[in-house]
Amino acid sequence: MSGELDQPQAGPSHAEEYLPNPEGNRAEVPGGVIRRANAQGQKSWIQKVLEQVTDSPLQWVTPSEVVPVAVLAVQRYLLEGESRDTTPRPPVFCYDITISDGVYREKCYLDPSLNFLVHKNILKVGIAMKIFRVSCLYNEKRLGQGILCIDNVRCGESLGAISLDTPFRNSAHGEIPERPLRGAKSHYLALWNNEDPYGDIWLTNKQPEEYNFNNTKIISFSHLEMTWNNRRDFPALLGRILYKSKLRYYGKPDKSMTEPYQTFLEVADSSGTVSVIMWNALCPEWYKSLQVGLVLLLQDYSVKSSYPFRLQPLPVDPRVKLISTIEICLNLRDPPTNIIIIPERQVKPEWRLPNLNYRFITRSELDDMPENQICDVVGLLVFVGRVQRSKKKENGEDFWSYRWIHIADGTSEQPFIVELFSTSQPEIFENIYPMSYFMCTQLKVVRNNTQVPNLLYLTTTNESRVLFADNTSQLSIDDNKVENLIQWSKTKTDSGELNNCVIGGYYPYPPVPETFSKYKSSIKVGSPLTAVSEVRKEVEGLHYREQKRIAVQGIITVIKYIPHSNANERVSASETLRTANQPSTYQAAESQSRSQERDGKRHQDNGPASSQCSQATFTGLSPTKKKRIVQGPSAKLAPVPHQETTAPTKGNKPSMPSTFQRQESKSSSMLGKARKTINHSWESQLWREKKFGLKEHLRYSCVYPESTPRKFSLEHKNFLIQQYNSQPSKYTPPEEKPPNLNDFKSARSLGHFEITILGLNHEIALDVAFLPMYRTKDVRTSQIDTLLTCMNYSCVYPQEVTSEDRVPGPRAIAGDIIKAVTELDRMHVVCILDICSLGNNKVEVYLHKIYSPGNIY
């Protein structure tokens, strides 16, 4: 019985695996490995905790010994069959966590109060975790069934490798198909969205089979449309799948349905094409096997009038009639549908079934295509962005997963820019990489020629399907445009031009319009502006990989240029100034200050987050004033490193260690000289007047390694794919020691800027980063005429140069940007910010666009 607290099954290997050092001294060291125990008969920590909790009259216990366990799986499901009248109300989605102590594995229920640890990707697979309190939860409608509930945890470092040889203490937890511990659900959902099929209930074993048509009566779609109201029994249908939609999950806690899924198939015969809806349990059984182009024989179906507000995709062949008055319903019962895949060799010419055709366009043809036009594209991937998410509803827990990609086909210097949403093909969506062939169907053209810069990209639709191929032999499509692509790609491969492909990082697209009034009309939220005081709430409310765009009003008071460094992507502003031949007194002061800062950070919890970004924040905060994430009442408090805030008394200088006050006064004159020398930073007089009287200073200017787009390396393909994909639901041991992400060459050459935005009321300041691209080979356009409008694309277009002129370098361009920003001194501007949670307490807040007073309206 799943989840039952039964006795462990004896076996020879139960005591052979263990987490290193059960006392916990080594488990939180990065790269810790689960090893085989030397001593025989090691007792399982999980087993000891179970004995304690079952003997406790309170049905909960704080373990007498807390040791780290490894997290092997984080699995999500809809909580159904539970009362919703309790206080607090149970969550919509719950999580089962599979842990291992090196002797046994155990599937545990995560208390809903800790769900935020999954939402923030703090609790994830592959880490060490300490459990400080557990309880026993019983289902009173089932005999003797109890599950272990995790009530209090502290998440630690990632482990280098974890053994998967340990057995489940409760053998029912390892049964297939997997079942959630609570509720009436029979399956798990994908961890980060509801569209992707996940788990072992999704079958792939349906194959074409020879069928004897001698005694089978077949009716055409058009004849069925005319006569279905007068029929009790429907003859069989025979047609080819032209389109297949992504999955729709419609499960709700108050509705009891085993597999609440739905998908649409557009199936065509010689008389027309009709929508076929596959419901519920048929989806896990058939969805992954029914590919576009297959011929189906459908029996024992039902017919109903079509839903009036759904738009069917138009057939490529205009001669195929669109039948939009009826829908064919396939269900496991009422009546039980019979689906047969007919082999292509058995398809007869006299059936006159439509062929599977495509409406391929080239990149050069896209420029002339109208908005909302549907097309198919094929080409080489030259850029693959990271997986991001956006909420379907403002206060919901359901997200869309998407990524931006660039596809080149050789017909234009510009690539196709595609907003690729998950198409219920996770095996492709999660594994695409540059330098490979990619085909996507049913894309919609998004364009706006009335804004500057003009907007033009493609986005997926409900019926979009993707095909991914490593080589040309897998592109078995008879089309001239595909043949031309193959020939072009061979020349590029031979010349080595494909070695400059890029993967991952922050991608500031789509660009916003040239005026704020146009921006307001283009967004769908109630209020277009976010108060500076609300930015912290917006940032803290982000879920893992959730990307949002917000607008804030303020005054630009500080800008600092941080040069790009291959050795260290996270150089701080103080370190930048230090590289410019500063006097030894300044070097000594800065060195000692950084040493103090490092010493303080050694005592912080959540080591991985603390070490991700080196911020020059000499604010002398007391520990109680730092923002913390609490992972349970018994857990230690973990400061969020990227978001330190100052809260001094208004008008007074914040308290600092006296040592640093002396150092600061000594080095301030040197700092001013440094600015004059290298001209890579600017601080307004207003900032010097107001910075010590702030109520709050939010510091979000950190640039993490994950934010940097990297040059793609085929040798380390799997590592790079994993870095820019979503966190997996199950742990997979690494094939080899993974490299360091900073070892891969950055695709950015200009570095980045740290910018301070002062609120209009001069009470709150906000540090953000600006990451422009600097590429001398970028196509110049009259739309990009100043350094400020370049922030539309976060891309710098240098001045036109003659053959005798030298192209300005990154530092010269940086100086020009800083000069342009100084012209905004004391002006009230609107800043468009892109914010995204990278997980594990790391958040991006990047400047996308500045609207100066001249381009507000």
Side-chain angles (χ1 to χ4, degrees):
M1 193 179 301
S2 178
E4 185 179 350
L5 294 175
D6 59 3
Q7 293 300 314
Q9 303 297 313
S13 62
H14 287 182
E16 293 181 354
E17 304 288 328
Y18 78 113
L19 274 167
N21 196 347
E23 288 73 28
N25 295 331
R26 290 176 52 195
E28 293 185 309
V29 176
V33 181
I34 292 182
R35 307 177 189 276
R36 292 190 177 274
N38 294 324
Q40 297 297 316
Q42 167 116 4
K43 187 166 184 179
S44 164
W45 179 83
I46 292 173
Q47 181 63 36
K48 288 191 287 187
V49 170
L50 285 169
E51 292 171 358
Q52 292 175 34
V53 74
T54 52
D55 291 340
S56 170
L58 299 176
Q59 293 188 329
W60 64 266
V61 69
T62 56
S64 58
E65 179 188 17
V66 177
V67 302
V69 294
V71 180
L72 298 182
V74 178
Q75 294 172 291
R76 183 176 70 107
Y77 57 98
L78 184 76
L79 184 60
E80 183 185 281
E82 303 278 338
S83 173
R84 313 281 311 168
D85 299 329
T86 58
T87 303
R89 294 186 66 186
V92 176
F93 297 105
C94 291
Y95 298 91
D96 289 344
I97 311 296
T98 302
I99 61 174
S100 170
D101 63 3
V103 181
Y104 288 127
R105 276 191 264 182
E106 184 78 11
K107 186 183 289 187
C108 308
Y109 174 71
L110 184 69
D111 186 271
S113 66
L114 301 179
N115 283 1
F116 78 97
L117 293 175
V118 180
H119 298 163
K120 304 288 185 182
N121 199 39
I122 297 171
L123 201 172
K124 56 187 177 181
V125 299
I127 66 168
M129 180 176 72
K130 288 185 176 181
I131 302 174
F132 293 93
R133 171 172 157 156
V134 297
S135 58
C136 184
L137 193 63
Y138 290 96
N139 186 339
E140 295 181 352
K141 292 184 178 181
R142 298 184 185 180
L143 193 61
Q145 185 166 26
I147 57 177
L148 192 65
C149 179
I150 298 175
D151 299 328
N152 213 319
V153 300
R154 180 154 61 90
C155 298
E157 300 278 359
S158 294
L159 297 167
I162 306 171
S163 171
L164 297 180
D165 295 335
T166 54
F168 278 102
R169 182 203 59 84
N170 180 352
S171 58
H173 290 174
E175 292 178 354
I176 296 176
E178 292 182 296
R179 295 287 185 254
L181 292 178
R182 293 194 62 188
K185 281 299 168 196
S186 63
H187 68 288
Y188 289 106
L189 299 169
L191 187 55
W192 305 115
N193 66 50
N194 289 341
E195 281 71 45
D196 288 343
Y198 170 83
D200 42 31
I201 68 167
W202 296 88
L203 307 180
T204 58
N205 59 353
K206 304 296 184 179
Q207 300 295 328
E209 55 185 80
E210 295 282 348
Y211 183 79
N212 186 352
F213 287 90
N214 291 339
N215 298 318
T216 302
K217 185 178 180 181
I218 296 175
I219 188 172
S220 69
F221 293 158
S222 60
H223 192 197
L224 179 67
E225 179 189 26
M226 293 184 292
T227 62
W228 72 277
N229 271 321
N230 302 321
R231 290 178 176 272
R232 289 188 176 181
D233 299 317
F234 300 117
L237 296 173
L238 182 68
R240 188 186 301 278
I241 303 175
L242 298 186
Y243 301 110
K244 172 185 173 182
S245 76
K246 62 184 174 185
L247 286 167
R248 173 178 170 256
Y249 179 79
Y250 62 94
K252 297 187 182 301
D254 55 349
K255 292 185 179 180
S256 181
M257 295 183 183
T258 307
E259 280 101 15
Y261 289 97
Q262 177 199 64
T263 188
F264 285 83
L265 306 172
E266 303 302 323
V267 182
D269 66 3
S270 60
S271 67
T273 178
V274 69
S275 294
V276 176
I277 311 176
M278 192 160 59
W279 291 92
N280 302 334
L282 276 184
C283 290
E285 183 181 355
W286 284 94
Y287 183 81
K288 298 188 78 171
S289 298
L290 296 182
Q291 304 300 328
V292 171
L294 292 179
V295 176
L296 301 182
L297 181 71
L298 305 176
Q299 297 172 311
D300 301 321
Y301 53 88
S302 61
V303 184
K304 68 172 186 176
S305 297
S306 61
Y307 183 66
F309 299 107
R310 179 179 178 267
L311 294 177
Q312 288 177 262
L314 296 175
V316 176
D317 189 343
R319 296 171 297 178
V320 178
K321 176 186 174 182
L322 193 67
I323 299 174
S324 57
T325 59
I326 62 171
E327 293 175 342
I328 310 300
C329 297
L330 310 181
N331 217 321
L332 193 62
R333 50 187 177 273
D334 302 326
T337 299
N338 185 24
I339 304 174
I340 300 173
I341 304 175
I342 303 301
E344 193 64 34
R345 62 179 178 272
Q346 201 179 355
V347 176
K348 299 179 180 179
E350 54 265 30
W351 293 349
R352 294 184 293 118
L353 296 181
N355 293 321
L356 184 62
N357 297 317
Y358 299 95
R359 44 170 72 90
F360 287 119
I361 65 163
T362 63
R363 178 58 184 86
S364 59
E365 294 171 336
L366 176 62
D367 293 329
D368 300 321
M369 294 192 68
E371 187 178 10
N372 295 325
Q373 185 79 16
I374 299 296
C375 61
D376 305 330
V377 302
V378 62
L380 276 170
L381 286 170
V382 292
F383 166 72
V384 175
R386 68 188 179 197
V387 176
Q388 299 177 161
R389 302 197 298 155
S390 61
K391 275 186 179 176
K392 294 181 180 180
K393 294 182 180 179
E394 184 60 31
N395 297 318
E397 293 185 39
D398 197 3
F399 290 79
W400 301 111
S401 293
Y402 70 99
R403 64 198 317 171
W404 291 94
I405 60 174
H406 288 187
I407 305 173
D409 68 354
T411 66
S412 169
E413 292 185 359
Q414 301 298 318
F416 292 106
I417 299 178
V418 180
E419 184 183 29
L420 181 67
F421 285 88
S422 172
T423 59
S424 299
Q425 298 172 276
E427 66 282 357
I428 297 178
F429 182 80
E430 297 174 358
N431 290 288
I432 60 176
Y433 57 87
M435 303 173 63
S436 55
Y437 294 96
F438 191 79
M439 183 181 83
C440 191
T441 64
Q442 289 297 108
L443 291 169
K444 183 175 69 174
V445 178
V446 179
R447 73 181 313 144
N448 186 347
N449 294 333
T450 64
Q451 79 169 55
V452 178
N454 290 347
L455 190 66
L456 178 61
Y457 66 93
L458 301 171
T459 187
T460 49
T461 62
N462 197 48
E463 290 79 23
S464 292
R465 309 306 292 169
V466 294
L467 174 67
F468 179 68
D470 291 321
N471 52 68
T472 57
S473 63
Q474 297 171 294
L475 287 176
S476 55
I477 300 171
D478 186 14
D479 188 282
N480 288 335
K481 291 175 180 176
V482 176
E483 292 296 327
N484 294 337
L485 168 70
I486 293 173
Q487 294 303 318
W488 169 79
S489 66
K490 288 181 179 178
T491 62
K492 294 298 179 183
T493 303
D494 295 341
S495 64
E497 293 184 41
L498 295 181
N499 294 331
N500 292 323
C501 294
V502 178
I503 187 170
Y506 164 64
Y507 182 69
Y509 204 87
V512 296
E514 72 276 17
T515 66
F516 183 64
S517 59
K518 287 185 178 181
Y519 170 80
K520 288 194 297 183
S521 63
S522 68
I523 60 177
K524 299 178 181 179
V525 297
S527 175
L529 285 169
T530 300
V532 173
S533 60
E534 297 172 345
V535 171
R536 177 204 289 271
K537 180 180 177 182
E538 289 284 348
V539 168
E540 292 179 356
L542 291 173
H543 284 225
Y544 172 59
R545 289 287 179 88
E546 181 183 359
Q547 173 100 17
K548 292 180 70 174
R549 184 166 284 175
I550 61 175
V552 298
Q553 291 189 88
I555 304 167
I556 305 296
T557 56
V558 179
I559 181 170
K560 302 172 186 176
Y561 173 52
I562 314 299
H564 169 73
S565 170
N566 284 327
N568 186 0
E569 293 287 335
R570 293 166 271 117
V571 180
S572 68
S574 60
E575 289 171 325
T576 303
L577 294 172
R578 196 179 71 253
T579 61
N581 299 320
Q582 298 301 307
S584 58
T585 54
Y586 181 79
Q587 292 178 356
E590 286 295 289
S591 176
Q592 186 170 347
S593 298
R594 285 194 308 277
S595 176
Q596 293 172 352
E597 185 183 8
R598 282 195 301 270
D599 291 341
K601 287 188 177 182
R602 287 194 187 102
H603 299 290
Q604 295 178 356
D605 294 315
N606 267 16
S610 300
S611 63
Q612 289 300 324
C613 196
S614 178
Q615 294 277 4
T617 55
F618 307 116
T619 55
L621 286 178
S622 64
T624 58
K625 293 182 180 178
K626 293 185 180 180
K627 175 64 184 173
R628 300 161 186 266
I629 283 188
V630 183
Q631 301 173 7
S634 300
K636 293 183 179 179
L637 299 178
V640 180
H642 58 266
Q643 187 182 304
E644 296 190 42
T645 62
T646 61
T649 304
K650 190 170 183 178
N652 295 329
K653 194 169 183 177
S655 61
M656 288 189 251
S658 57
T659 304
F660 178 72
Q661 292 183 20
R662 292 193 297 270
Q663 292 165 352
E664 186 189 54
S665 61
K666 181 184 290 187
S667 61
S668 59
S669 60
M670 300 300 180
L671 192 61
K673 291 180 180 179
R675 290 197 184 99
K676 293 179 182 178
T677 303
I678 62 175
N679 199 29
H680 286 153
S681 68
W682 168 79
E683 180 181 292
S684 71
Q685 179 62 35
L686 178 63
W687 178 248
R688 288 191 285 270
E689 295 170 358
K690 299 293 183 179
K691 62 182 176 180
F692 296 125
L694 299 174
K695 287 184 177 179
E696 193 172 36
H697 190 171
L698 302 174
R699 302 178 187 273
Y700 295 114
S701 59
C702 183
V703 176
Y704 296 97
E706 301 95 315
S707 304
T708 302
R710 306 282 173 176
K711 294 292 182 69
F712 181 71
S713 167
L714 197 59
E715 178 185 357
H716 299 287
K717 172 186 70 175
N718 293 336
F719 171 77
L720 290 171
I721 289 173
Q722 180 187 26
Q723 289 296 306
Y724 296 110
N725 207 345
S726 297
Q727 183 72 30
S729 180
K730 289 188 174 183
Y731 173 79
T732 303
E735 297 178 0
E736 55 187 17
K737 183 180 179 181
N740 190 314
L741 188 57
N742 274 331
D743 293 338
F744 293 89
K745 188 175 181 181
S746 169
R748 294 190 298 109
S749 58
L750 188 59
H752 69 276
F753 296 83
E754 293 178 356
I755 295 176
T756 300
I757 304 167
L758 180 64
L760 298 184
N761 293 318
H762 302 176
E763 295 178 338
I764 301 175
L766 173 67
D767 289 351
V768 301
F770 174 49
L771 282 74
M773 297 289 290
Y774 173 55
R775 296 163 53 199
T776 56
K777 294 183 180 180
D778 277 326
V779 177
R780 296 174 179 85
T781 157
S782 60
Q783 298 168 355
I784 310 297
D785 54 3
T786 70
L787 288 169
L788 286 182
T789 56
C790 82
M791 291 183 179
N792 255 325
Y793 277 116
S794 286
C795 188
V796 173
Y797 292 79
Q799 300 289 329
E800 290 282 358
V801 294
T802 63
S803 57
E804 293 82 12
D805 294 332
R806 187 168 62 89
V807 176
R811 288 181 179 270
I813 292 295
D816 289 340
I817 290 179
I818 292 173
K819 181 180 178 182
V821 171
T822 62
E823 297 173 2
L824 299 175
D825 190 15
R826 293 183 182 266
M827 288 187 183
H828 290 192
V829 298
V830 176
C831 299
I832 306 300
L833 305 177
D834 290 334
I835 61 176
C836 180
S837 170
L838 302 178
N840 202 24
N841 296 340
K842 294 182 289 185
V843 179
E844 295 175 343
V845 182
Y846 294 158
L847 177 66
H848 178 81
K849 166 75 175 175
I850 295 176
Y851 287 114
S852 61
N855 56 12
I856 294 293
Y857 302 104

